[in-house]
Amino acid sequence: MKKVIIAMVALLVVAGGSFGAFLAVKNKSEKETEKQVSELAENVIFSFDSEAITEINFDCPDGHYRAYYEDETWKLDGNEFTLDQDYIDTLLYLVSDFTAETNYDVPDDSKKAMYGLDNPSETITFSDGTEKYTVYVGKITPTNDYYYFMAEGKDKVYTVNSIQGSVLKASRMMLKAKDLIPYDTTNIKQITVKKDGKITYDLTYDTDTLTWSLPEEYSELPFDQTAVSSMLTTLTRLEAEQMLEEYLEDMTKYGFDKPSAEVTIKGTDGTERNFIIGNSDNNQTYTYILMKDSNQVERYYKSDLNFINYKPFNFLPDSVNSVSLYNINGFELIFGDIQDSFTVNMNERKLEMNGKAVDMENSEIYTSFQNLFNSFTTLIFTDTDIEATPDNSDPVLTAIYHADDTDDVKIDFVDAGNDKCYIFKNDVYSGGIVDISRLTGKNSTQSFYSSFCERAGIVQTVKSNPITEE
């Protein structure tokens, strides 16, 4: 967003600079041209190397601030807050090659007062250690198109486009960094989100293995590293749409008394950023955030803060294969009245069901078998519940997979109520939940089983719905 501002300022500077003026006067008479060029020269305010500037002093209505350049970063004298690096860069870009729109000759005291320059609202001084360049900022014009200003070493009043001029209207809030967090994607160690005082998810980064993980109780579940990477890409780029008041005392004003979420983000350098997100149910566009260390209120677009609504299952893969059909030699399927044994060699397209050979060269049979197998082997988690304590003594479905070089893998689907199933692996509850619709209904294990048996010419063993009937 700030790069767009820089580009906009650059465009405006070019539009108001010498090249545009040259084109405008090219076809005029020599006398008029000389006059135009002379006037243009009078509007050139500064031309200096922005990279040579090492100190900037701001005198604003809300205080004096000194910024200095050290270790390739702009820092605030006293370190009261972190400076907005992009704002400083934009300001330097504008002023280092600064040409005014117009000038109003040398003002007397009354004219200075009229332009707001008898007591400038902002004074900004740039220094390279030898030379100083000072801008005095006045009022905006009645049409809101321009700002009046003066400069040290110049005796006239000048105007600058209001968009450019807004960059000169420095203030404490303009100077403060707008980043939600002071980290990039490589130096975050932990992310914790709470709602109603309870942790909804807690992510930790292992600097040795370079991987993210949920707490130990989720260790039986697979983890999608790309899900965190995607979230961090957005999170580390978030900037406040507007900086509001500091040192907030009335927590009810922005809904911080009953926050939507509390967030703690820790850096690998030992620092951390803590903030709470106000209750903004009645606002479809904005959400307010309160930084705990400063009680600084900031406004963000609501759509940018979806990460607070994540749950552990958001960090699971979209789907998980219990085993690969090409890595097993057979499996058992127990599903209500179904109790079938399969021997399979997919590389040779060989399949037996309960000792009877099945023609896997038939494309319809081949496809229907794969659909059946994937319906209970491919797990699509819809939620997690690590506090549940189910047992798998009476599972809805059990699949036992056999391989030549590894131990058997057993997967149990256990009825969790509300059209859900708990997933067990090798008799251990994984903490994962899937929809029971994977097993019955359209495009389910039950329907794919019937389709496979019909195509293979096998008498079905299923007699009832294993979920709805006792």
Side-chain angles (χ1 to χ4, degrees):
M1 180 176 70
K2 293 179 181 176
K3 291 181 179 178
V4 173
I5 294 174
I6 295 174
M8 183 183 295
V9 170
L11 180 62
L12 289 166
V13 170
V14 171
S18 59
F19 183 66
F22 173 74
L23 291 179
V25 304
K26 184 177 180 182
N27 297 319
K28 294 180 180 293
S29 67
E30 183 177 346
K31 184 176 181 180
E32 289 176 331
T33 300
E34 290 177 356
K35 180 181 179 181
Q36 293 281 349
V37 171
S38 176
E39 290 177 353
L40 177 63
E42 290 181 353
N43 289 341
V44 175
I45 309 303
F46 296 130
S47 181
F48 58 81
D49 181 5
S50 62
E51 294 185 359
I53 300 299
T54 57
E55 180 180 336
I56 308 175
N57 282 274
F58 299 87
D59 285 294
C60 311
D62 51 15
H64 173 82
Y65 305 96
R66 174 181 173 269
Y68 62 95
Y69 195 68
E70 182 179 80
D71 299 329
E72 299 185 351
T73 302
W74 283 99
K75 300 178 181 178
L76 181 69
D77 195 16
N79 295 318
E80 184 182 356
F81 54 81
T82 303
L83 285 173
D84 187 332
Q85 304 296 311
D86 288 335
Y87 169 67
I88 300 293
D89 290 343
T90 302
L91 180 63
L92 285 170
Y93 190 96
L94 170 64
V95 178
S96 63
D97 188 15
F98 196 15
T99 300
E101 293 278 349
T102 56
N103 69 73
Y104 288 86
D105 296 325
V106 180
D108 56 23
D109 290 344
S110 63
K111 287 289 183 67
K112 281 188 177 182
M114 182 176 70
Y115 298 134
L117 290 165
D118 57 331
N119 184 23
S121 57
E122 290 83 21
T123 299
I124 308 174
T125 301
F126 306 84
S127 173
D128 60 10
T130 302
E131 299 290 336
K132 291 185 177 181
Y133 310 90
T134 301
V135 179
Y136 306 97
V137 186
K139 297 177 180 179
I140 196 167
T141 61
T143 60
N144 293 325
D145 292 327
Y146 302 95
Y147 276 100
Y148 300 110
F149 74 94
M150 296 185 73
E152 191 69 29
K154 306 283 184 178
D155 56 2
K156 296 182 179 181
V157 173
Y158 301 88
T159 61
V160 62
N161 182 285
S162 59
I163 296 179
Q164 294 173 293
S166 65
V167 179
L168 300 174
K169 297 292 289 182
S171 66
R172 181 182 178 87
M173 293 305 162
M174 185 80 84
L175 290 170
K176 293 188 76 170
K178 313 301 185 298
D179 311 273
L180 176 62
I181 57 175
Y183 310 113
D184 59 32
T185 57
T186 64
N187 54 20
I188 297 178
K189 178 182 178 181
Q190 187 174 5
I191 303 171
T192 305
V193 176
K194 292 181 179 179
K195 288 193 172 186
D196 297 324
K198 295 182 179 180
I199 294 177
T200 53
Y201 69 87
D202 187 17
L203 298 172
T204 304
Y205 185 69
D206 189 320
T207 55
D208 294 327
T209 61
L210 305 181
T211 57
W212 286 91
S213 64
L214 290 162
E216 178 65 25
E217 52 264 38
Y218 294 93
S219 60
E220 295 295 328
L221 291 168
F223 191 88
D224 183 6
Q225 297 293 324
T226 62
V228 183
S229 298
S230 178
M231 182 184 78
L232 289 181
T233 298
T234 299
L235 182 60
T236 54
R237 294 177 180 176
L238 289 182
E239 299 174 349
E241 189 273 336
Q242 185 177 3
M243 306 289 279
L244 300 172
E245 58 191 285
E246 288 182 294
Y247 312 117
L248 180 72
E249 295 183 359
D250 182 5
M251 298 293 281
T252 66
K253 186 174 181 179
Y254 301 97
F256 296 131
D257 55 326
K258 297 178 181 179
S260 297
E262 301 177 57
V263 181
T264 297
I265 300 179
K266 297 182 179 180
T268 55
D269 59 357
T271 63
E272 62 181 70
R273 174 65 60 88
N274 297 280
F275 54 91
I276 61 177
I277 299 174
N279 190 325
S280 57
D281 291 342
N282 296 325
N283 192 324
Q284 299 301 313
T285 305
Y286 297 112
T287 292
Y288 299 96
I289 287 182
L290 178 67
M291 296 298 171
K292 285 189 175 181
D293 59 344
S294 63
N295 274 9
Q296 169 72 57
V297 180
E298 303 176 3
R299 188 172 75 177
Y300 289 79
Y301 287 107
K302 199 169 189 176
S303 57
D304 288 337
L305 300 175
N306 285 333
F307 74 93
I308 67 169
N309 298 316
Y310 287 3
K311 295 181 180 179
F313 87 87
N314 289 107
F315 302 103
L316 307 184
D318 291 336
S319 62
V320 179
N321 289 324
S322 302
V323 298
S324 169
L325 185 53
Y326 287 84
N327 293 337
I328 62 173
N329 56 40
F331 63 94
E332 316 295 325
L333 176 61
I334 305 168
F335 182 34
D337 294 323
I338 298 172
Q339 295 190 32
D340 292 320
S341 177
F342 296 82
T343 302
V344 62
N345 185 329
M346 287 300 288
N347 292 314
E348 297 181 9
R349 284 208 171 196
K350 291 183 178 180
L351 175 67
E352 290 185 0
M353 179 177 176
N354 301 325
K356 180 181 178 180
V358 177
D359 181 12
M360 291 289 278
E361 295 299 330
N362 182 299
S363 61
E364 290 188 354
I365 296 175
Y366 182 88
T367 300
S368 64
F369 173 71
Q370 284 191 313
N371 289 339
L372 168 62
F373 183 83
N374 290 334
S375 69
F376 57 84
T377 303
T378 302
L379 303 176
I380 301 177
F381 292 103
T382 58
D383 206 347
T384 61
D385 186 354
I386 58 171
E387 296 181 357
T389 57
D391 70 75
N392 62 334
S393 60
D394 186 24
V396 173
L397 182 149
T398 297
I400 305 172
Y401 306 94
H402 311 296
D404 292 329
D405 53 357
T406 60
D407 293 337
D408 289 352
V409 175
K410 179 186 177 188
I411 301 295
D412 289 319
F413 291 71
V414 174
D415 191 354
N418 298 317
D419 297 324
K420 306 290 182 181
C421 279
Y422 299 116
I423 297 298
F424 282 74
K425 181 177 181 180
N426 296 331
D427 297 320
V428 176
Y429 173 48
S430 67
I433 294 175
V434 301
D435 286 343
I436 215 163
S437 59
R438 295 282 297 171
L439 306 182
T440 65
K442 186 178 180 180
N443 296 325
S444 66
T445 297
Q446 190 174 50
S447 63
F448 285 131
Y449 180 84
S450 296
S451 178
F452 168 71
C453 290
E454 180 180 349
R455 284 175 169 76
I458 296 170
V459 177
Q460 299 181 39
T461 57
V462 62
K463 298 176 183 178
S464 62
N465 187 324
I467 296 174
T468 60
E469 301 205 13
E470 297 293 335

